[in-house]
Amino acid sequence: MIPAEFDYEAPESLEEAIRMLHENGEDAKLLAGGHSLLPLMKLRLAAPTVLIDLRRIPGLHGIQREDGVWRVGAMTRHADLQDNEELGVVSRAASLIADQQVRNRGTIGGSLAHGDPASDLPAVMLVSDGEVTARGLSGQRTIAAADLFQDFLTTALEHDEVITEVRLPVLEGYGFGYQKFTRRAEDWAMVGVCALVKKGADGSCEDVRIGLTHMGTTPLRATAAEDALRGEALGADSIARAAEHAAEGTHPPGDLNASPEYKRHLARTLTGRALMEAAGL
Ligand SMILES: Cc1cc2nc3c(=O)[nH]c(=O)nc-3n(C[C@H](O)[C@H](O)[C@H](O)COP(=O)(O)OP(=O)(O)OC[C@H]3O[C@@H](n4cnc5c(N)ncnc54)[C@H](O)[C@@H]3O)c2cc1C
């Protein structure tokens, strides 16, 4: 449980951090809340030779609503998301991450950059059509959530890029549901489901988005279930029929807690519950 030796840097500007990342190459790692990276280092599954701490860099914290978009600084902690209920499903999902100690340290930028398909916020980003702003030596770019998560613990970020901000459209008129199944309270999700539903004036489903956590090597959209519900009258029967499609096209990894078949069962059941919650039924 003792990590390999490493150097520690605490830059005071973003430019300095990016330069340090670039100069130290693949052996350097950014440190945010440390709640994914440090456990990996203690298990010696990661052995960076330099840690570049983002905590002293100004301008990476905070939540602002501007022109129909939530702008969330990359170093904003899960606890801050949890406390801001106006963020809707983002706040709910953050409140279900681990325990309060983890939420007091872990950050949204760290969670998204880590790219763990068992994490709660990546699927929420996906259904919200969120995007991240990344800065590197060659400038700044925007990466849509749909392009960010590429494989298990693998994102589209270049080695010397820092996520500076997360942008989430304000989804007016959507109800939300978030369901997370764990073996013990405060565990990682065996499976998690995030649902957003927009009701039309006639009570039909004008739009629906469903995100799945831990059902593959990246967060996924349950598009077959979405297609089955969109345009239908919203009710327990139509939701139950749509939820039956939730696991279509998924290849969940089996692990000590659940077989792939059990995870598919969980995805169908939790999708039904999350949709009922999102539809206010
Ligand atoms: C006991 C325990 C239980 C947990 N349970 C859950 C859970 O149920 N659900 C859940 O979602 N998460 C869970 N987590 C993980 C937690 O949410 C982490 O905090 C989060 O995944 C990573 O955020 P961090 O700020 O701690 O990142 P760090 O651990 O500091 O960094 C993670 C990775 O991201 C990189 N990185 C960090 N910030 C940036 C940035 N701004 N730009 C580019 N790269 C960056 C780092 O270099 C590193 O590779 C748990 C953690 C623990 C210890």
Side-chain angles (χ1 to χ4, degrees):
M1 297 302 279
I2 297 175
E5 236 175 70
F6 58 88
D7 289 333
Y8 172 80
E9 302 283 358
E12 299 201 355
S13 74
L14 193 55
E15 292 68 28
E16 212 185 330
I18 292 168
R19 183 182 52 72
M20 286 174 176
L21 262 184
H22 188 74
E23 283 174 3
N24 288 286
E26 298 282 337
D27 287 339
K29 276 272 180 201
L30 294 171
L31 177 68
H35 271 53
S36 289
L37 182 56
L38 297 185
L40 286 180
M41 289 171 63
K42 286 181 173 180
L43 293 168
R44 305 237 173 173
L45 295 172
T49 53
V50 187
L51 286 191
I52 302 166
D53 195 337
L54 292 172
R55 279 176 301 177
R56 288 200 192 157
I57 299 177
L60 295 180
H61 300 83
I63 304 169
Q64 286 167 31
R65 185 175 168 159
E66 204 178 282
D67 298 332
V69 175
W70 287 109
R71 299 182 56 185
V72 183
M75 289 294 285
T76 304
R77 302 166 314 146
H78 305 325
D80 303 315
L81 303 175
Q82 170 184 1
D83 289 347
N84 189 333
E85 288 185 11
E86 280 187 66
L87 289 168
V89 71
V90 179
S91 174
R92 170 78 66 78
S95 75
L96 296 173
I97 294 175
D99 51 45
Q100 194 62 46
Q101 281 172 304
V102 173
R103 297 194 290 270
N104 283 343
R105 304 291 295 198
T107 66
I108 187 168
S111 176
L112 301 179
H114 192 53
D116 185 339
S119 292
D120 293 276
L121 296 176
V124 173
M125 277 289 287
L126 200 59
V127 290
S128 307
D129 282 339
E131 54 189 34
V132 299
T133 304
R135 280 267 299 274
L137 263 196
S138 50
Q140 179 165 300
R141 67 178 175 133
T142 298
I143 309 170
D147 300 323
L148 180 65
F149 307 108
Q150 299 204 327
D151 204 345
F152 182 69
L153 302 187
T154 307
T155 67
L157 288 170
E158 295 295 337
H159 168 70
D160 59 2
E161 280 183 316
V162 182
I163 296 179
T164 54
E165 186 175 85
V166 178
R167 297 167 72 91
L168 296 149
V170 177
L171 293 166
E172 301 280 10
Y174 283 80
F176 69 84
Y178 193 77
Q179 294 282 327
K180 175 174 178 175
F181 192 83
T182 55
R183 195 167 66 82
R184 299 167 308 184
E186 302 179 340
D187 258 351
W188 295 86
M190 261 192 230
V191 172
V193 176
C194 169
L196 299 175
V197 170
K198 188 172 193 182
K199 261 188 202 173
D202 59 356
S204 67
C205 176
E206 190 179 312
D207 189 28
V208 55
R209 306 178 192 183
I210 302 165
L212 303 175
T213 288
H214 219 180
M215 286 295 288
T217 56
T218 62
L220 298 171
R221 287 278 288 263
T223 49
E226 293 175 357
D227 292 344
L229 192 59
R230 198 172 289 109
E232 296 290 312
L234 278 171
D237 290 344
S238 60
I239 284 178
R241 279 195 300 276
E244 279 305 305
H245 297 279
E248 277 178 30
T250 63
H251 302 283
D255 53 40
L256 286 176
N257 288 324
S259 65
E261 194 38 53
Y262 185 53
K263 285 191 174 179
R264 288 191 194 98
H265 164 76
L266 284 176
R268 290 188 285 269
T269 303
L270 298 178
T271 295
R273 291 179 191 167
L275 286 171
M276 289 292 281
E277 200 186 346
L281 294 169

PDB file of all heavy atoms in Angstrom, residues 166-187:
ATOM      1  N   VAL A 166     -16.208  22.061 -17.539  1.00  0.00           N
ATOM      2  CA  VAL A 166     -17.219  21.119 -18.019  1.00  0.00           C
ATOM      3  C   VAL A 166     -18.457  21.955 -18.315  1.00  0.00           C
ATOM      4  O   VAL A 166     -18.860  22.787 -17.496  1.00  0.00           O
ATOM      5  CB  VAL A 166     -17.525  20.066 -16.928  1.00  0.00           C
ATOM      6  CG1 VAL A 166     -18.610  19.105 -17.390  1.00  0.00           C
ATOM      7  CG2 VAL A 166     -16.247  19.308 -16.550  1.00  0.00           C
ATOM      8  N   ARG A 167     -19.042  21.754 -19.487  1.00  0.00           N
ATOM      9  CA  ARG A 167     -20.218  22.547 -19.883  1.00  0.00           C
ATOM     10  C   ARG A 167     -21.408  21.623 -20.079  1.00  0.00           C
ATOM     11  O   ARG A 167     -21.300  20.617 -20.801  1.00  0.00           O
ATOM     12  CB  ARG A 167     -19.929  23.318 -21.167  1.00  0.00           C
ATOM     13  CG  ARG A 167     -18.805  24.325 -20.991  1.00  0.00           C
ATOM     14  CD  ARG A 167     -18.328  24.857 -22.321  1.00  0.00           C
ATOM     15  NE  ARG A 167     -19.293  25.762 -22.922  1.00  0.00           N
ATOM     16  CZ  ARG A 167     -19.313  27.068 -22.752  1.00  0.00           C
ATOM     17  NH1 ARG A 167     -18.393  27.650 -22.005  1.00  0.00           N
ATOM     18  NH2 ARG A 167     -20.218  27.821 -23.334  1.00  0.00           N
ATOM     19  N   LEU A 168     -22.511  21.986 -19.445  1.00  0.00           N
ATOM     20  CA  LEU A 168     -23.722  21.159 -19.523  1.00  0.00           C
ATOM     21  C   LEU A 168     -24.895  22.052 -19.909  1.00  0.00           C
ATOM     22  O   LEU A 168     -25.158  23.036 -19.199  1.00  0.00           O
ATOM     23  CB  LEU A 168     -24.011  20.533 -18.150  1.00  0.00           C
ATOM     24  CG  LEU A 168     -22.950  19.564 -17.646  1.00  0.00           C
ATOM     25  CD1 LEU A 168     -22.869  19.594 -16.135  1.00  0.00           C
ATOM     26  CD2 LEU A 168     -23.287  18.160 -18.115  1.00  0.00           C
ATOM     27  N   PRO A 169     -25.602  21.735 -20.990  1.00  0.00           N
ATOM     28  CA  PRO A 169     -26.762  22.562 -21.322  1.00  0.00           C
ATOM     29  C   PRO A 169     -27.795  22.508 -20.206  1.00  0.00           C
ATOM     30  O   PRO A 169     -27.970  21.451 -19.583  1.00  0.00           O
ATOM     31  CB  PRO A 169     -27.336  21.896 -22.582  1.00  0.00           C
ATOM     32  CG  PRO A 169     -26.369  20.866 -23.013  1.00  0.00           C
ATOM     33  CD  PRO A 169     -25.412  20.603 -21.895  1.00  0.00           C
ATOM     34  N   VAL A 170     -28.449  23.644 -19.936  1.00  0.00           N
ATOM     35  CA  VAL A 170     -29.558  23.638 -18.975  1.00  0.00           C
ATOM     36  C   VAL A 170     -30.733  22.980 -19.695  1.00  0.00           C
ATOM     37  O   VAL A 170     -31.169  23.457 -20.733  1.00  0.00           O
ATOM     38  CB  VAL A 170     -29.934  25.084 -18.557  1.00  0.00           C
ATOM     39  CG1 VAL A 170     -31.133  25.069 -17.625  1.00  0.00           C
ATOM     40  CG2 VAL A 170     -28.743  25.774 -17.901  1.00  0.00           C
ATOM     41  N   LEU A 171     -31.191  21.858 -19.181  1.00  0.00           N
ATOM     42  CA  LEU A 171     -32.226  21.100 -19.890  1.00  0.00           C
ATOM     43  C   LEU A 171     -33.603  21.478 -19.342  1.00  0.00           C
ATOM     44  O   LEU A 171     -34.122  20.837 -18.429  1.00  0.00           O
ATOM     45  CB  LEU A 171     -31.943  19.600 -19.763  1.00  0.00           C
ATOM     46  CG  LEU A 171     -30.685  19.150 -20.496  1.00  0.00           C
ATOM     47  CD1 LEU A 171     -30.266  17.757 -20.078  1.00  0.00           C
ATOM     48  CD2 LEU A 171     -30.882  19.209 -22.005  1.00  0.00           C
ATOM     49  N   GLU A 172     -34.168  22.543 -19.901  1.00  0.00           N
ATOM     50  CA  GLU A 172     -35.477  23.027 -19.435  1.00  0.00           C
ATOM     51  C   GLU A 172     -36.553  22.003 -19.806  1.00  0.00           C
ATOM     52  O   GLU A 172     -36.549  21.473 -20.915  1.00  0.00           O
ATOM     53  CB  GLU A 172     -35.841  24.361 -20.102  1.00  0.00           C
ATOM     54  CG  GLU A 172     -34.854  25.492 -19.856  1.00  0.00           C
ATOM     55  CD  GLU A 172     -35.014  26.164 -18.499  1.00  0.00           C
ATOM     56  OE1 GLU A 172     -35.769  25.642 -17.664  1.00  0.00           O
ATOM     57  OE2 GLU A 172     -34.352  27.202 -18.291  1.00  0.00           O
ATOM     58  N   GLY A 173     -37.458  21.744 -18.881  1.00  0.00           N
ATOM     59  CA  GLY A 173     -38.631  20.913 -19.197  1.00  0.00           C
ATOM     60  C   GLY A 173     -38.382  19.411 -19.099  1.00  0.00           C
ATOM     61  O   GLY A 173     -39.280  18.630 -19.395  1.00  0.00           O
ATOM     62  N   TYR A 174     -37.181  19.013 -18.701  1.00  0.00           N
ATOM     63  CA  TYR A 174     -36.902  17.585 -18.541  1.00  0.00           C
ATOM     64  C   TYR A 174     -37.048  17.173 -17.081  1.00  0.00           C
ATOM     65  O   TYR A 174     -36.536  17.849 -16.190  1.00  0.00           O
ATOM     66  CB  TYR A 174     -35.467  17.253 -18.973  1.00  0.00           C
ATOM     67  CG  TYR A 174     -35.263  17.191 -20.471  1.00  0.00           C
ATOM     68  CD1 TYR A 174     -35.113  18.359 -21.216  1.00  0.00           C
ATOM     69  CD2 TYR A 174     -35.218  15.971 -21.139  1.00  0.00           C
ATOM     70  CE1 TYR A 174     -34.926  18.316 -22.586  1.00  0.00           C
ATOM     71  CE2 TYR A 174     -35.029  15.916 -22.510  1.00  0.00           C
ATOM     72  CZ  TYR A 174     -34.886  17.091 -23.228  1.00  0.00           C
ATOM     73  OH  TYR A 174     -34.701  17.040 -24.587  1.00  0.00           O
ATOM     74  N   GLY A 175     -37.719  16.037 -16.850  1.00  0.00           N
ATOM     75  CA  GLY A 175     -37.672  15.419 -15.530  1.00  0.00           C
ATOM     76  C   GLY A 175     -36.493  14.452 -15.520  1.00  0.00           C
ATOM     77  O   GLY A 175     -36.033  14.022 -16.586  1.00  0.00           O
ATOM     78  N   PHE A 176     -36.003  14.120 -14.349  1.00  0.00           N
ATOM     79  CA  PHE A 176     -34.868  13.192 -14.320  1.00  0.00           C
ATOM     80  C   PHE A 176     -35.068  12.078 -13.305  1.00  0.00           C
ATOM     81  O   PHE A 176     -35.806  12.208 -12.329  1.00  0.00           O
ATOM     82  CB  PHE A 176     -33.545  13.925 -14.046  1.00  0.00           C
ATOM     83  CG  PHE A 176     -33.428  14.491 -12.654  1.00  0.00           C
ATOM     84  CD1 PHE A 176     -32.988  13.688 -11.594  1.00  0.00           C
ATOM     85  CD2 PHE A 176     -33.743  15.812 -12.388  1.00  0.00           C
ATOM     86  CE1 PHE A 176     -32.879  14.203 -10.311  1.00  0.00           C
ATOM     87  CE2 PHE A 176     -33.637  16.335 -11.104  1.00  0.00           C
ATOM     88  CZ  PHE A 176     -33.204  15.521 -10.065  1.00  0.00           C
ATOM     89  N   GLY A 177     -34.393  10.980 -13.558  1.00  0.00           N
ATOM     90  CA  GLY A 177     -34.357   9.875 -12.612  1.00  0.00           C
ATOM     91  C   GLY A 177     -32.950   9.321 -12.573  1.00  0.00           C
ATOM     92  O   GLY A 177     -32.251   9.323 -13.597  1.00  0.00           O
ATOM     93  N   TYR A 178     -32.481   8.935 -11.412  1.00  0.00           N
ATOM     94  CA  TYR A 178     -31.142   8.328 -11.304  1.00  0.00           C
ATOM     95  C   TYR A 178     -31.235   7.118 -10.386  1.00  0.00           C
ATOM     96  O   TYR A 178     -31.682   7.229  -9.248  1.00  0.00           O
ATOM     97  CB  TYR A 178     -30.124   9.342 -10.760  1.00  0.00           C
ATOM     98  CG  TYR A 178     -28.720   8.830 -10.947  1.00  0.00           C
ATOM     99  CD1 TYR A 178     -28.117   8.881 -12.195  1.00  0.00           C
ATOM    100  CD2 TYR A 178     -28.031   8.226  -9.909  1.00  0.00           C
ATOM    101  CE1 TYR A 178     -26.852   8.366 -12.396  1.00  0.00           C
ATOM    102  CE2 TYR A 178     -26.757   7.706 -10.109  1.00  0.00           C
ATOM    103  CZ  TYR A 178     -26.182   7.788 -11.355  1.00  0.00           C
ATOM    104  OH  TYR A 178     -24.935   7.262 -11.564  1.00  0.00           O
ATOM    105  N   GLN A 179     -30.857   5.973 -10.892  1.00  0.00           N
ATOM    106  CA  GLN A 179     -30.944   4.734 -10.121  1.00  0.00           C
ATOM    107  C   GLN A 179     -29.578   4.063 -10.126  1.00  0.00           C
ATOM    108  O   GLN A 179     -28.975   3.882 -11.193  1.00  0.00           O
ATOM    109  CB  GLN A 179     -31.972   3.782 -10.767  1.00  0.00           C
ATOM    110  CG  GLN A 179     -33.387   4.291 -10.708  1.00  0.00           C
ATOM    111  CD  GLN A 179     -34.022   4.105  -9.333  1.00  0.00           C
ATOM    112  OE1 GLN A 179     -33.737   3.148  -8.631  1.00  0.00           O
ATOM    113  NE2 GLN A 179     -34.884   5.030  -8.949  1.00  0.00           N
ATOM    114  N   LYS A 180     -29.127   3.690  -8.949  1.00  0.00           N
ATOM    115  CA  LYS A 180     -27.791   3.090  -8.832  1.00  0.00           C
ATOM    116  C   LYS A 180     -27.925   1.855  -7.957  1.00  0.00           C
ATOM    117  O   LYS A 180     -28.449   1.944  -6.838  1.00  0.00           O
ATOM    118  CB  LYS A 180     -26.863   4.126  -8.190  1.00  0.00           C
ATOM    119  CG  LYS A 180     -25.474   3.633  -7.875  1.00  0.00           C
ATOM    120  CD  LYS A 180     -24.614   4.796  -7.384  1.00  0.00           C
ATOM    121  CE  LYS A 180     -23.220   4.328  -7.012  1.00  0.00           C
ATOM    122  NZ  LYS A 180     -22.330   5.425  -6.641  1.00  0.00           N
ATOM    123  N   PHE A 181     -27.484   0.721  -8.459  1.00  0.00           N
ATOM    124  CA  PHE A 181     -27.590  -0.505  -7.665  1.00  0.00           C
ATOM    125  C   PHE A 181     -26.215  -0.883  -7.133  1.00  0.00           C
ATOM    126  O   PHE A 181     -25.257  -1.021  -7.896  1.00  0.00           O
ATOM    127  CB  PHE A 181     -28.152  -1.646  -8.521  1.00  0.00           C
ATOM    128  CG  PHE A 181     -28.562  -2.836  -7.706  1.00  0.00           C
ATOM    129  CD1 PHE A 181     -29.800  -2.871  -7.083  1.00  0.00           C
ATOM    130  CD2 PHE A 181     -27.707  -3.911  -7.537  1.00  0.00           C
ATOM    131  CE1 PHE A 181     -30.183  -3.956  -6.306  1.00  0.00           C
ATOM    132  CE2 PHE A 181     -28.078  -5.000  -6.765  1.00  0.00           C
ATOM    133  CZ  PHE A 181     -29.313  -5.027  -6.153  1.00  0.00           C
ATOM    134  N   THR A 182     -26.120  -1.009  -5.819  1.00  0.00           N
ATOM    135  CA  THR A 182     -24.827  -1.329  -5.202  1.00  0.00           C
ATOM    136  C   THR A 182     -24.995  -2.528  -4.267  1.00  0.00           C
ATOM    137  O   THR A 182     -26.086  -2.781  -3.765  1.00  0.00           O
ATOM    138  CB  THR A 182     -24.322  -0.146  -4.355  1.00  0.00           C
ATOM    139  OG1 THR A 182     -25.335   0.204  -3.417  1.00  0.00           O
ATOM    140  CG2 THR A 182     -24.004   1.057  -5.209  1.00  0.00           C
ATOM    141  N   ARG A 183     -23.904  -3.233  -4.060  1.00  0.00           N
ATOM    142  CA  ARG A 183     -23.976  -4.386  -3.153  1.00  0.00           C
ATOM    143  C   ARG A 183     -24.050  -3.891  -1.704  1.00  0.00           C
ATOM    144  O   ARG A 183     -24.777  -4.403  -0.895  1.00  0.00           O
ATOM    145  CB  ARG A 183     -22.742  -5.277  -3.363  1.00  0.00           C
ATOM    146  CG  ARG A 183     -22.874  -6.666  -2.757  1.00  0.00           C
ATOM    147  CD  ARG A 183     -21.774  -7.568  -3.267  1.00  0.00           C
ATOM    148  NE  ARG A 183     -20.461  -7.145  -2.829  1.00  0.00           N
ATOM    149  CZ  ARG A 183     -19.934  -7.412  -1.645  1.00  0.00           C
ATOM    150  NH1 ARG A 183     -20.614  -8.087  -0.755  1.00  0.00           N
ATOM    151  NH2 ARG A 183     -18.727  -7.002  -1.342  1.00  0.00           N
ATOM    152  N   ARG A 184     -23.229  -2.862  -1.405  1.00  0.00           N
ATOM    153  CA  ARG A 184     -23.277  -2.237  -0.079  1.00  0.00           C
ATOM    154  C   ARG A 184     -23.540  -0.750  -0.280  1.00  0.00           C
ATOM    155  O   ARG A 184     -23.188  -0.207  -1.320  1.00  0.00           O
ATOM    156  CB  ARG A 184     -21.927  -2.378   0.641  1.00  0.00           C
ATOM    157  CG  ARG A 184     -21.499  -3.807   0.891  1.00  0.00           C
ATOM    158  CD  ARG A 184     -20.046  -3.825   1.311  1.00  0.00           C
ATOM    159  NE  ARG A 184     -19.218  -3.083   0.355  1.00  0.00           N
ATOM    160  CZ  ARG A 184     -17.904  -2.999   0.423  1.00  0.00           C
ATOM    161  NH1 ARG A 184     -17.255  -3.586   1.396  1.00  0.00           N
ATOM    162  NH2 ARG A 184     -17.222  -2.327  -0.487  1.00  0.00           N
ATOM    163  N   ALA A 185     -24.107  -0.103   0.733  1.00  0.00           N
ATOM    164  CA  ALA A 185     -24.334   1.342   0.626  1.00  0.00           C
ATOM    165  C   ALA A 185     -23.002   2.021   0.307  1.00  0.00           C
ATOM    166  O   ALA A 185     -21.947   1.603   0.792  1.00  0.00           O
ATOM    167  CB  ALA A 185     -24.881   1.872   1.948  1.00  0.00           C
ATOM    168  N   GLU A 186     -23.010   3.024  -0.523  1.00  0.00           N
ATOM    169  CA  GLU A 186     -21.849   3.871  -0.840  1.00  0.00           C
ATOM    170  C   GLU A 186     -20.801   3.178  -1.704  1.00  0.00           C
ATOM    171  O   GLU A 186     -19.683   3.656  -1.859  1.00  0.00           O
ATOM    172  CB  GLU A 186     -21.215   4.443   0.435  1.00  0.00           C
ATOM    173  CG  GLU A 186     -22.221   5.264   1.237  1.00  0.00           C
ATOM    174  CD  GLU A 186     -21.696   5.834   2.517  1.00  0.00           C
ATOM    175  OE1 GLU A 186     -20.687   5.324   3.022  1.00  0.00           O
ATOM    176  OE2 GLU A 186     -22.308   6.788   3.029  1.00  0.00           O
ATOM    177  N   ASP A 187     -21.149   2.020  -2.283  1.00  0.00           N
ATOM    178  CA  ASP A 187     -20.232   1.345  -3.210  1.00  0.00           C
ATOM    179  C   ASP A 187     -20.302   1.975  -4.593  1.00  0.00           C
ATOM    180  O   ASP A 187     -21.166   2.776  -4.877  1.00  0.00           O
ATOM    181  CB  ASP A 187     -20.665  -0.127  -3.366  1.00  0.00           C
ATOM    182  CG  ASP A 187     -19.791  -1.067  -2.558  1.00  0.00           C
ATOM    183  OD1 ASP A 187     -18.774  -0.605  -2.023  1.00  0.00           O
ATOM    184  OD2 ASP A 187     -20.128  -2.254  -2.481  1.00  0.00           O
TER     185      ASP A 187
END
